[in-house]
Amino acid sequence: KAIISRIGGDEFVVYLYDYRDDETLEKDIQILLDEQDSRRMDLPAGESVDIRFSVGYVLRTDENPDYEDLFQIADQRMYENKRFRKSDQRK
């Protein structure tokens, strides 16, 4: 299950929950990571555009139950992911 929310501009939060085990959750996160530079969208005029997105995530545990803290960690990781991918694309 997931809740997807736009938090402003082109930033979204995806809250994944109700997983039976960590392995299944980690597989779904890996799918997002694998897809972040490989999607295209066809436009009505016959053109197509690349769709790219950056991902930052954190897993909630008993040690870090505060959602505001979790959001800040995921946000930092998203910007790290974005910087890494931009530097990697220049090579």
Side-chain angles (χ1 to χ4, degrees):
K1 296 178 183 178
I3 297 171
I4 302 171
S5 178
R6 180 174 177 232
I7 59 172
D10 61 354
E11 290 190 82
F12 294 82
V13 170
V14 178
Y15 175 67
L16 302 172
Y17 66 99
D18 205 21
Y19 279 79
R20 294 175 194 233
D21 56 71
D22 289 347
E23 183 178 307
T24 305
L25 173 59
E26 290 171 5
K27 283 181 183 178
D28 284 352
I29 291 170
Q30 189 59 52
I31 289 169
L32 287 172
L33 293 170
D34 292 344
E35 294 289 323
Q36 62 184 332
D37 289 314
S38 64
R39 306 300 293 167
R40 293 191 62 76
M41 175 184 261
D42 294 326
L43 301 176
E47 298 176 72
S48 64
V49 294
D50 292 330
I51 298 176
R52 295 183 177 100
F53 56 91
S54 298
V55 176
Y57 68 93
V58 63
L59 302 178
R60 182 178 178 271
T61 65
D62 291 337
E63 291 83 36
N64 63 353
D66 183 57
Y67 288 103
E68 288 184 36
D69 290 343
L70 295 172
F71 176 80
Q72 294 300 321
I73 294 167
D75 195 49
Q76 284 179 329
R77 289 179 179 174
M78 185 270 305
Y79 281 107
E80 290 169 10
N81 177 259
K82 188 176 203 172
R83 282 190 298 274
F84 172 77
R85 289 178 32 259
K86 280 189 177 189
S87 68
D88 193 46
Q89 290 173 0
R90 291 185 186 143
K91 294 179 182 180

